[in-house]
Amino acid sequence: MDWLRNLLMPPRGSTFADQVDPLFWFLVGLTAFFFLLIAGLCGWFILRYRRGRAVRRGVAPTHNTALELVWSLIPLALVIVIFFWGFHGYISAAVPPADALEIKVLAKRWLWQFEYPSGLRTVNDLRVPVGKPVKLVMISEDVIHSFYVPSFRIKQDVLPSRYTQVWFEATEPGVHRLLCTEYCGRGHSDMLGTIQVVSAEEYQQWLDSGGGSGEGLPPAELGRLIYTQYGCEVCHSLDGTRKEGPSFRGLFGKPVLLTGGQTVIADENYIRESILNPQAKIVAGYQPVMPTFQGLLDERQINALIEFIKEQK
Amino acid sequence: MTAASYLTEQRGLRSWLFTLDHKRIGVMYLWSTLLAFFLGGVLAMLIRLELLTPTRTLMDADTYNKVFTLHGAVMIFLFIIPSIPAALGNFVLPLLLGARDVAFPRLNLASYYLYVLGALMALASMVTGGIDTGWTFYTPYSTSTGGAVNLVTLAVFVLGFSSIFTGVNFIATTHKLRAPGMSWFRMPLFVWGMYATAIIQILATPVLGITVLLLFLERVFGVGIFDPKLGGDPVLFQHFFWFYSHPAVYIMILPGMAIISEVIPVFSRRPIFGYRAIAFSSVAIAGVSFLVWGHHMFVSGQSVLASALFSFLTFLVAIPSAVKVFNWVATMYKGSIWLQAPMIYAIMFLLLFAIGGLTGLFLGSLATDVHLHDTYFVVAHFHYVMMGGVFIAFLAGLHYWWPKMFGRMYSERWSRIAAALVFVGFNTTFLAQFVMGSRGMPRRYYNYLPEFQPLHVVSTVGSWILALGLVITAGYLLASLRKRPDAPPNPWGGMTLEWQTSSPPPTHNFETVPVVDRGPYDFPPLEAEEELAGRRA
């Protein structure tokens, strides 16, 4: 049955999966049963009573109160069971435990920013300890987004007008995918992130090191770290592959053709401007989907990124 | 022969444009809505083609977002909502009641012209910047994005009045213009379905009108209602929008159910099983449909209590829907089932609607909806209800009444080939979407994760099979119009009043006022037994 489980549902990464999945499979069974019942009766009647076939038909009743009560009351009983089952799971997802670790989430077109209790911030990369409830308090800077982690079975809209929250407890170390599920425009389908579930010790170490902030690293290596931590890799490849944005390979120092026909040289100032004010110069053939990293990256980090891009020959 | 029919009594463009005849207005609505369906269908094919690969296939993200928005808006506002009531309903409702016309013929024509105006406004958006909000116009995205949002919201406002006019007309017609002897429980079930639909149309549509007007005021004059930047509440828009748009789902499906309730008894030669249960369940669905809108908002941040209540009320809608399905199936028991095109589509409806309805349980239930909301599971679910349900029922009705409307029979052989392709193509397209949805593929995604590509390819190939089936359908139906009229007044042996007049009917519908002294499905007793005896002899 594992192949069937994997065919229809994502892997199970949180405690909610154990609440949602049994109900899901019950409903799959119920759907199969009633579909086969209806299809079977249709098929049987068509074969047996099709026009011109010699069969004793007699006079069938035009209604039957007992039968009609049965086929009203049995579905009624079933849906009441389903309602309470679904309600049970929903309520436990609605109330975070008091000792939950709280992380702030800021959503904006088209990235996810996380702020940890220590003040550390990351982009598109949420790191949480395994086996500990985590509560996310979320707000949007522009339109409505939705925080969806399929393998955790959680989803919550992120509103620009007030905080919403969602919580989960990851059951084992691993990497999970975060997606935006409220349509938010051009970059909606690129508003992705990862959730890394690590052991409590690793989490603490990571937090203590400032999220691997790269203190003491040479600029180009720090740049590589930022390239992954801040989700640049989602849109900019290193091997020349075309993604949502231009590849970094062989970019530095070369002329770049912009929308509108001008050409600029990809020097330090061009890259800096593209990070802080991405809409200023759009590379020909690409969509203006990049969010600004103003306020997210400091001068040292921007410089490190430029050094990293220089190395991508 | 031939006595002049409504098609031939008057000729020329003027006689159509200024007609007050419900049949001609119905036919104009039919061609207009079919044109809209064709446009929506082409857009659907473009969507499926773009999704053949995980990244760009043939258009950029902006274009894709405009295409899926227009696909949804065209299909819902220009095709599904008006198709059955305003096209088929307009044509047959007065005939089914034994009436000369609808109660307010001028209002009927006004409804058509409002539809045309609204449609032109909506389509004009294509050349004035497009609209990329999705058909749901969620704020604050819709208040902040550019393009032709203002034009489209006004179009929806105008189209709403077109729908209200039809509803008002049908209610008045049903109350006042029934033939002598046609008591409420001698009305064909199609009329009950239209009546329930009309109630929702006139009660819910004004809310949509007000909502899009408020959106317009906010966009044009900066009145803060939904946009938090202006002090508004974006979730309020969702409440307003779904307060109309959920009942609107029943504006779409009840007429489909109404057609099935006509076709199954006629092609089974049996009175419908549980007439009153079906009639009352239509009205019950219409009533409860106003109390379930919040089930679109379980993850929107609405209160937990509200979500729980909406979930419970949603499940209550399942009961009358299930009752109807069981009644239709029971009608076939001991019947004499004639598998002509309308019946083939009616049985297809039963199967596809069953899947659509049962998968609704996953979404009405709170815990599972959190996982499935805004994924392809929802897309597949509503296509099973809207296309597998309403559109297939529309095809059943179109094939059922086509001989009455145009006086021509179509090729039964080609209709079977087309139906088989539609069935296979539809299921291939949308079963794959259930699977990708429950595995976590969000809807309205231009790019997607490569792991979903095999399922997307299956779905896209399915859409080609489906399209082929529909092209063949258009082909044999249009081909039938080139023939000389050959349809008898009553090709299917129906007992309702429209079959008592000629095909196509004269402008005034009936030569003498019909008098009704029996129910709509009282087929001659023992006819099946006689047929059996005849075979044996």
Side-chain angles (χ1 to χ4, degrees):
Chain A
M1 291 305 275
D2 265 2
W3 68 269
L4 187 65
R5 174 180 291 170
N6 295 332
L7 176 72
L8 291 188
M9 280 295 238
R12 306 201 270 183
S14 83
T15 50
F16 294 134
D18 294 332
Q19 294 188 346
V20 174
D21 291 18
L23 175 56
F24 178 84
W25 290 109
F26 173 76
L27 290 172
V28 171
L30 198 73
T31 300
F33 173 78
F34 277 101
F35 177 75
L36 291 175
L37 180 73
I38 291 163
L41 284 173
C42 282
W44 179 41
F45 291 161
I46 289 168
L47 287 177
R48 187 167 168 80
Y49 299 114
R50 75 176 181 278
R51 179 163 152 146
R53 186 168 186 274
V55 59
R56 182 154 297 280
R57 288 181 165 87
V59 178
T62 58
H63 66 99
N64 180 328
T65 310
L67 185 63
E68 291 178 70
L69 272 178
V70 166
W71 73 36
S72 306
L73 293 179
I74 289 181
L76 181 65
L78 279 170
V79 297
I80 288 176
V81 170
I82 300 167
F83 164 73
F84 279 105
W85 198 341
F87 180 64
H88 180 74
Y90 188 73
I91 279 291
S92 49
V95 188
D99 64 337
L101 168 69
E102 190 175 311
I103 298 173
K104 301 273 197 291
V105 179
L106 175 75
K108 65 174 192 172
R109 286 184 273 189
W110 291 278
L111 59 76
W112 301 95
Q113 185 198 315
F114 303 100
E115 186 175 339
Y116 299 81
S118 66
L120 171 70
R121 290 192 210 162
T122 60
V123 171
N124 292 341
D125 176 24
L126 174 63
R127 223 168 274 223
V128 296
V130 69
K132 176 149 178 70
V134 176
K135 179 171 97 172
L136 304 177
V137 178
M138 309 188 287
I139 191 95
S140 163
E141 201 177 274
D142 37 51
V143 298
I144 301 177
H145 302 279
S146 193
F147 186 95
Y148 178 39
V149 186
S151 48
F152 288 177
R153 315 285 189 268
I154 56 168
K155 183 179 291 129
Q156 174 62 54
D157 284 5
V158 184
L159 305 175
S161 48
R162 60 191 162 89
Y163 294 110
T164 54
Q165 62 177 38
V166 67
W167 78 277
F168 59 86
E169 183 183 325
T171 48
E172 46 195 297
V175 180
H176 302 276
R177 192 162 280 123
L178 157 67
L179 307 128
C180 177
T181 43
E182 186 61 68
Y183 172 70
C184 55
R186 189 182 295 138
H188 171 51
S189 63
D190 303 317
M191 194 167 156
L192 311 176
T194 51
I195 298 181
Q196 302 200 39
V197 181
V198 295
S199 70
E201 301 80 54
E202 273 181 78
Y203 174 73
Q204 199 52 48
Q205 268 174 19
W206 177 79
L207 216 53
D208 291 343
S209 73
S213 67
E215 287 297 335
L217 282 180
E221 276 180 45
L222 174 61
R224 175 177 294 279
L225 193 68
I226 295 167
Y227 173 72
T228 24
Q229 278 183 351
Y230 283 76
C232 312
E233 59 183 350
V234 175
C235 299
H236 301 282
S237 77
L238 299 181
D239 58 1
T241 313
R242 186 195 158 98
K243 289 184 168 182
E244 282 311 286
S247 174
F248 288 166
R249 181 176 171 195
L251 170 66
F252 192 82
K254 301 278 163 54
V256 174
L257 180 66
L258 302 180
T259 310
Q262 316 95 301
T263 305
V264 292
I265 299 293
D267 57 8
E268 284 89 344
N269 273 322
Y270 166 75
I271 294 173
R272 182 186 151 81
E273 183 185 42
S274 298
I275 293 171
L276 296 178
N277 184 12
Q279 313 294 321
K281 295 191 173 73
I282 305 299
V283 181
Y286 290 90
Q287 298 271 308
V289 295
M290 181 165 157
T292 169
F293 285 77
Q294 186 100 46
L296 288 173
L297 297 170
D298 60 27
E299 290 303 333
R300 190 180 67 100
Q301 290 170 308
I302 292 170
N303 180 49
L305 264 178
I306 293 171
E307 290 305 312
F308 171 68
I309 291 170
K310 275 186 189 170
E311 287 202 341
Q312 310 306 315
K313 297 205 166 68
Chain B
M1 51 179 281
T2 60
S5 75
Y6 80 98
L7 290 170
T8 53
E9 189 176 312
Q10 286 185 300
R11 291 192 181 271
L13 191 60
R14 269 182 65 90
S15 75
W16 280 89
L17 293 181
F18 295 100
T19 183
L20 297 178
D21 180 357
H22 69 98
K23 298 181 289 302
R24 285 190 161 204
I25 294 171
V27 168
M28 292 196 293
Y29 253 124
L30 181 68
W31 295 124
S32 310
T33 52
L34 284 174
L35 203 62
F37 178 79
F38 176 75
L39 173 66
V42 169
L43 294 167
M45 299 305 289
L46 287 174
I47 294 172
R48 285 309 330 157
L49 210 54
E50 172 55 44
L51 294 173
L52 201 54
T53 65
T55 53
R56 182 192 167 103
T57 310
L58 63 127
M59 58 183 105
D60 61 31
D62 281 343
T63 311
Y64 177 78
N65 293 342
K66 287 173 187 169
V67 168
F68 80 65
T69 298
L70 202 61
H71 164 71
V74 165
M75 283 300 198
I76 287 177
F77 295 114
L78 299 184
F79 176 69
I80 308 183
I81 290 177
S83 64
I84 297 177
L88 299 179
N90 241 326
F91 192 97
V92 297
L93 185 103
L95 289 166
L96 284 168
L97 291 172
R100 162 84 178 72
D101 206 319
V102 291
F104 309 117
R106 284 186 176 78
L107 196 65
N108 204 13
L109 189 64
S111 153
Y112 176 71
Y113 281 116
L114 281 182
Y115 170 82
V116 173
L117 176 66
L120 290 177
M121 287 166 72
L123 298 181
S125 74
M126 282 199 294
V127 290
T128 55
I131 163 171
D132 72 337
T133 60
W135 79 275
T136 46
F137 310 114
Y138 268 22
T139 55
Y141 186 81
S142 59
T143 49
S144 58
T145 188
V149 179
N150 296 340
L151 188 61
V152 176
T153 50
L154 284 181
V156 169
F157 185 79
V158 171
L159 289 167
F161 274 96
S162 155
S163 182
I164 292 169
F165 286 1
T166 303
V168 168
N169 231 330
F170 284 5
I171 289 180
T173 308
T174 306
H175 273 275
K176 303 308 289 182
L177 297 183
R178 302 193 306 276
M182 181 173 285
S183 60
W184 280 82
F185 292 109
R186 282 183 186 162
M187 291 194 318
L189 284 165
F190 184 80
V191 180
W192 274 101
M194 283 296 136
Y195 186 77
T197 306
I199 290 173
I200 311 179
Q201 278 176 314
I202 64 169
L203 291 182
T205 315
V207 179
L208 177 71
I210 293 163
T211 309
V212 293
L213 217 53
L214 290 176
L215 188 62
F216 184 80
L217 287 178
E218 180 162 282
R219 277 184 66 95
V220 177
F221 300 108
V223 182
I225 299 157
F226 306 122
D227 189 343
K229 286 203 183 73
L230 303 169
D233 180 356
V235 180
L236 180 67
F237 177 84
Q238 298 178 26
H239 281 288
F240 281 177
F241 182 80
W242 290 114
F243 186 87
Y244 164 77
S245 294
H246 196 80
V249 170
Y250 298 96
I251 292 179
M252 305 176 214
I253 191 70
L254 282 172
M257 294 169 157
I259 286 174
I260 300 308
S261 300
E262 291 304 313
V263 169
I264 288 186
V266 169
F267 289 85
S268 304
R269 312 299 304 159
R270 297 261 320 130
I272 191 115
F273 188 92
Y275 174 98
R276 287 183 187 226
I278 293 183
F280 288 138
S281 64
S282 291
V283 181
I285 288 174
V288 183
S289 75
F290 282 97
L291 307 172
V292 300
W293 79 88
H295 70 214
H296 295 268
M297 301 170 60
F298 290 159
V299 301
S300 71
Q302 78 180 350
S303 83
V304 174
L305 176 66
S307 290
L309 286 172
F310 282 124
S311 169
F312 188 77
L313 290 165
T314 298
F315 280 122
L316 292 187
V317 186
I319 310 303
S321 308
V323 165
K324 279 174 182 278
V325 171
F326 293 137
N327 277 305
W328 290 321
V329 174
T331 303
M332 291 193 278
Y333 177 60
K334 292 192 175 177
S336 172
I337 297 169
W338 191 20
L339 283 181
Q340 296 294 93
M343 186 62 168
I344 290 173
Y345 277 112
I347 289 164
M348 202 187 295
F349 169 93
L350 287 181
L351 301 180
L352 301 181
F353 179 70
I355 295 177
L358 287 161
T359 51
L361 297 175
F362 293 73
L363 302 170
S365 149
L366 290 161
T368 40
D369 179 69
V370 169
H371 174 59
L372 299 170
H373 179 81
D374 267 345
T375 67
Y376 265 78
F377 191 93
V378 177
V379 177
H381 162 71
F382 70 66
H383 279 92
Y384 263 87
V385 179
M386 292 294 116
M387 188 167 192
V390 185
F391 179 69
I392 296 298
F394 170 80
L395 284 182
L398 189 64
H399 285 81
Y400 181 55
W401 284 307
W402 185 268
K404 182 57 64 185
M405 296 177 90
F406 300 107
R408 271 90 165 174
M409 304 304 287
Y410 45 82
S411 160
E412 196 59 44
R413 192 151 82 105
W414 277 108
S415 78
R416 283 168 199 223
I417 295 169
L421 288 170
V422 166
F423 186 74
V424 171
F426 177 83
N427 283 298
T428 311
T429 307
F430 292 107
L431 273 180
Q433 296 188 7
F434 275 124
V435 178
M436 61 177 110
S438 65
R439 284 169 67 166
M441 164 84 207
R443 65 191 285 203
R444 296 176 171 177
Y445 260 34
Y446 168 71
N447 293 316
Y448 57 85
L449 302 167
E451 69 197 61
F452 291 111
Q453 193 178 10
L455 288 163
H456 273 295
V457 171
V458 169
S459 185
T460 300
V461 171
S463 73
W464 297 337
I465 304 173
L466 179 54
L468 177 64
L470 293 175
V471 167
I472 293 176
T473 306
Y476 68 75
L477 286 179
L478 293 177
S480 78
L481 294 181
R482 298 172 61 90
K483 300 189 299 181
R484 297 184 65 79
D486 61 348
N490 191 0
W492 319 119
M495 304 301 285
T496 40
L497 294 177
E498 82 273 34
W499 304 113
Q500 294 186 8
T501 186
S502 53
S503 300
T507 302
H508 49 276
N509 288 352
F510 297 97
E511 296 300 334
T512 55
V513 175
V515 177
V516 180
D517 53 6
R518 53 176 173 72
Y521 312 109
D522 291 348
F523 298 99
L526 292 177
E527 189 196 71
E529 290 284 337
E530 282 162 21
E531 181 202 353
L532 175 62
R535 288 256 159 186
R536 278 182 181 156

